[in-house]
Amino acid sequence: MSSTSPKDRLLDTLAKKRVDRPPVICTGGMMNSAIVDVMTKTGHTLPEAHFEAGRMADLAAGIHHETGFENLGIPFCMTVEAEVLGSEVDFGSLACEPKIARELFPSVKSVVYRDISSMLQVGRISQVARAAELLALRHPDQPVIGSLTGPVSTAASLVEPLQFLKELRKERESAHRVLEYVSNFLIGFARVLVDSGATVICIGDPTATGEILGPRMFDEYAVTYLNKVIDGIHATGVPVLVHICGEMKAVKPSIPLLHSDAISADAFVNLKLLKQEYSQLTTMGNLSTILLESGDPEKVIHRTETLLREGIDIISPACGLSTSTSLDTIRAMTDTVKEA
Amino acid sequence: MQNRNLTADDHFKELAEAVVEMDEERAVAAAHASLESGIDAYDAIQQGLSAGMERAGQLFEEEEYFIPELLMCSDAMYAGLEVLKPHLKKTAGSRGTVVIGVIEGDTHDIGKNMVRIMFETGGFNVIDLGRDVPPQRFVDTAIDSNADIIALSTLMTTTMDGMGTVVRLLNEADIRQGIKVMVGGGPISPGFAKRIGADGYAVNAAEAVKVARELVAI
């Protein structure tokens, strides 16, 4: 048995200190592991746990306990931000995660700017914050990860996304203004989570991919505003993880420009090569969620061992888990890391 | 572009370039100019606008263009199309009907919209069910519209199961033979497509049209 607490192990890893072995985590938010198996076993279920701090904390603790992931991750969706900003959210069901039903504005030019400090008082923000507080209190040895939807995705949840993407080119001034606004709001939200006890913040920004934006706009928007949010969180003294969705090829040279303390990548990204090319990066990932869902623990063990051998710094699923993923495969993953 | 000395090819080239250059106003002007020169609207669409869109698709595959650029190209194409459409003498023969949508549970429809645009510009009649669509609706719509293809998209691993469900429902309804199923989207692989019994897989919107053409040609 190792004497290092999971919280210290993660923080040490992010501080580039030597650790006995990589942490194995699942951040929550976009990459949450609120699978049906866990919910039926623990009785803590979605969609109820999206709304109330006690239930949210109980489900997060249940996930931690059942899966073996060495963290507590909240919330379980990517809609807390968009809801507060005013878009319409469909809260889904037990097996189906919440999503934006309708974006509030048709164009970046029509966005109505509201006061950020008053927005931080509404929606589910206080419930997520209270959940972080409960979890930090009840699990002092575990890192509490607060998950944030990244600035580009949040902006694309506020403004109709296709129009938004075009306007990144056509209406640059207004687009930047929206991203500035959204970023300031995200920093505010992250600070509420940090004040409530979040150990680490993870940002997932699925619209900000090289495949969607291309390298030029990835730099102009994704790198700029991710860094703005990261810097704002760093000012509180808390480390930040960033997950980049999709194929990274088109934007690879931009990845080291991100100020985050670790970079998480999708399954088809070769983290070993990324690490070789940019030795300064702390890498996180990237066990295929398709593999996890397919239900073959042997293959999962094999793949996890490969990631460990390759020196990936933090072992984690590569993307959002299917709610029908079985506990067996997840356990195979977390046990393999812990036995390393 | 009021120059009467321009050949038909010049007009086609101007239309195509307006699309590739993402210039809506230029596409509208080029469409008017080609009409004034007596160019057949159908030819202007096919050899001008569609050719431009095809080139844009190529640039997308070569990673010269990305989603925002491709969307703006399609805006220019539609702008030109609006001008030309009322002048179509005959309705262009459709290559086939495609029912498209994003599987239930997923509201990411950027990829699907790109595929729809490429289908439309590629001469298909497209019925877009939007996002978050239950599997049964794909099947019902395909039957009602006598569709040739059902095109399913998802960006989330969490909703991939629904794709298999569509194939299963088609089998159960005993209409699997007449309707081809193609799948695509971030987490989808050719292997997954095969496993669920889909007929086609495309890695992106430009390839989706090529795959669809092959599927209906069989």
Side-chain angles (χ1 to χ4, degrees), chain A residues 300-314:
Chain A
V300 170
I301 290 170
H302 181 75
R303 181 69 193 136
T304 309
E305 285 170 345
T306 305
L307 291 171
L308 288 167
R309 206 168 42 242
E310 290 177 347
I312 308 313
D313 304 286
I314 301 167

Side-chain angles (χ1 to χ4, degrees), chain A:
Chain A
M1 228 9 226
S2 147
S3 59
T4 315
S5 76
K7 184 172 170 177
D8 288 340
R9 187 180 291 111
L10 180 62
L11 288 173
D12 284 352
T13 304
L14 293 172
K16 298 191 190 301
K17 290 183 194 160
R18 275 187 75 88
V19 284
D20 53 349
R21 61 161 174 87
V24 55
I25 63 170
C26 188
T27 59
M30 187 181 72
M31 296 191 287
N32 78 72
S33 44
I35 56 171
V36 174
D37 266 10
V38 170
M39 289 190 274
T40 44
K41 211 164 163 188
T42 62
H44 303 306
T45 51
L46 296 173
E48 296 81 12
H50 290 306
F51 304 102
E52 198 266 313
R55 288 170 190 262
M56 190 178 284
D58 285 344
L59 179 56
I63 291 168
H64 161 70
H65 183 74
E66 295 296 333
T67 60
F69 283 124
E70 298 173 300
N71 72 292
L72 299 144
I74 47 165
F76 310 108
C77 69
M78 305 190 69
T79 55
V80 173
E81 301 86 350
E83 185 193 6
V84 172
L85 287 163
S87 285
E88 208 177 290
V89 174
D90 168 351
F91 289 98
S93 60
L94 181 105
C96 213
E97 66 184 300
K99 58 221 165 195
I100 309 300
R102 201 180 59 85
E103 295 81 16
L104 185 59
F105 300 109
S107 156
V108 289
K109 285 187 292 185
S110 56
V111 171
V112 178
Y113 295 90
R114 291 157 56 199
D115 175 57
I116 286 172
S117 53
S118 55
M119 275 196 294
L120 295 174
Q121 314 294 321
V122 300
R124 288 173 286 152
I125 286 184
S126 60
Q127 296 301 321
V128 184
R130 175 73 186 136
E133 206 176 317
L134 291 171
L135 289 167
L137 213 65
R138 291 174 188 166
H139 308 268
D141 288 345
Q142 303 293 334
V144 176
I145 303 181
S147 282
L148 225 57
T149 307
V152 178
S153 305
T154 304
S157 302
L158 181 63
V159 177
E160 197 286 312
L162 288 193
Q163 191 61 27
F164 172 75
L165 286 173
K166 285 184 275 184
E167 289 178 337
L168 292 179
R169 266 195 83 120
K170 283 202 290 196
E171 301 291 344
R172 288 180 51 200
E173 207 175 304
S174 303
H176 276 288
R177 195 168 166 222
V178 171
L179 275 151
E180 192 73 36
Y181 167 65
V182 163
S183 301
N184 285 327
F185 165 67
L186 291 175
I187 293 169
F189 179 30
R191 286 184 176 167
V192 170
L193 295 179
V194 171
D195 289 344
S196 310
T199 328
V200 173
I201 298 292
C202 178
I203 307 176
D205 205 350
T207 308
T209 75
E211 288 168 301
I212 294 175
L213 299 179
R216 234 185 33 232
M217 269 188 269
F218 186 84
D219 283 353
E220 179 173 348
Y221 292 101
V223 173
T224 306
Y225 293 101
L226 277 170
N227 278 345
K228 182 183 163 77
V229 175
I230 295 165
D231 292 348
I233 299 166
H234 275 166
T236 68
V238 163
V240 183
L241 315 170
V242 166
H243 177 75
I244 302 290
C245 287
E247 180 55 74
M248 212 179 253
K249 206 169 61 214
V251 293
K252 200 175 63 181
S254 306
I255 300 304
L257 303 177
L258 291 168
H259 298 170
S260 64
D261 302 275
I263 291 287
S264 160
D266 234 324
F268 26 75
V269 175
N270 188 329
L271 283 177
K272 184 183 148 199
L273 290 181
L274 189 74
K275 229 177 132 64
Q276 272 169 12
E277 197 161 345
Y278 306 108
S279 58
Q280 73 272 34
L281 293 182
T282 299
T283 50
M284 167 171 153
N286 61 348
L287 204 102
S288 160
T289 47
I290 299 170
L291 186 60
L292 282 170
E293 208 255 338
S294 71
D296 186 341
E298 283 307 313
K299 279 188 188 160
V300 170
I301 290 170
H302 181 75
R303 181 69 193 136
T304 309
E305 285 170 345
T306 305
L307 291 171
L308 288 167
R309 206 168 42 242
E310 290 177 347
I312 308 313
D313 304 286
I314 301 167
I315 310 297
S316 155
C319 185
L321 287 151
S322 165
T323 49
S324 59
T325 307
S326 78
L327 265 174
D328 292 345
T329 51
I330 299 179
R331 270 284 178 191
M333 172 187 177
T334 54
D335 287 345
T336 304
V337 179
K338 288 176 189 175
E339 284 156 14

Side-chain angles (χ1 to χ4, degrees), chain B residues 155-173:
Chain B
L155 209 80
M156 294 157 76
T157 44
T158 46
T159 57
M160 286 163 61
D161 302 347
M163 293 185 158
T165 310
V166 172
V167 177
R168 192 172 49 78
L169 290 171
L170 286 170
N171 285 330
E172 284 171 10

Side-chain angles (χ1 to χ4, degrees), chain B residues 18-129:
Chain B
V19 171
V20 175
E21 296 298 322
M22 305 171 258
D23 193 333
E24 285 180 49
E25 283 170 29
R26 189 171 157 195
V28 168
H32 283 301
S34 63
L35 288 173
E36 280 161 25
S37 299
I39 309 271
D40 182 72
Y42 179 80
D43 293 340
I45 292 170
Q46 287 307 314
Q47 299 181 55
L49 297 175
S50 289
M53 207 54 208
E54 206 153 305
R55 174 75 190 127
Q58 235 169 42
L59 289 168
F60 177 71
E61 284 194 319
E62 291 164 7
E63 297 194 0
E64 196 64 44
Y65 278 7
F66 291 88
I67 304 279
E69 288 82 7
L70 205 49
L71 286 171
M72 288 171 70
C73 289
S74 74
D75 276 0
M77 194 225 37
Y78 284 122
L81 203 58
E82 283 305 303
V83 176
L84 295 170
K85 248 186 183 165
H87 300 274
L88 276 175
K89 295 191 190 79
K90 49 182 193 286
T91 38
S94 162
R95 286 178 186 271
T97 297
V98 182
V99 174
I100 192 170
V102 180
I103 281 283
E104 183 171 31
D106 195 345
T107 54
H108 300 77
D109 57 0
I110 292 169
K112 183 269 295 170
N113 287 336
M114 297 312 303
V115 176
R116 182 196 68 213
I117 289 164
M118 294 308 282
F119 274 144
E120 283 173 353
T121 56
F124 285 91
N125 170 32
V126 183
I127 301 171
D128 186 354
L129 296 179

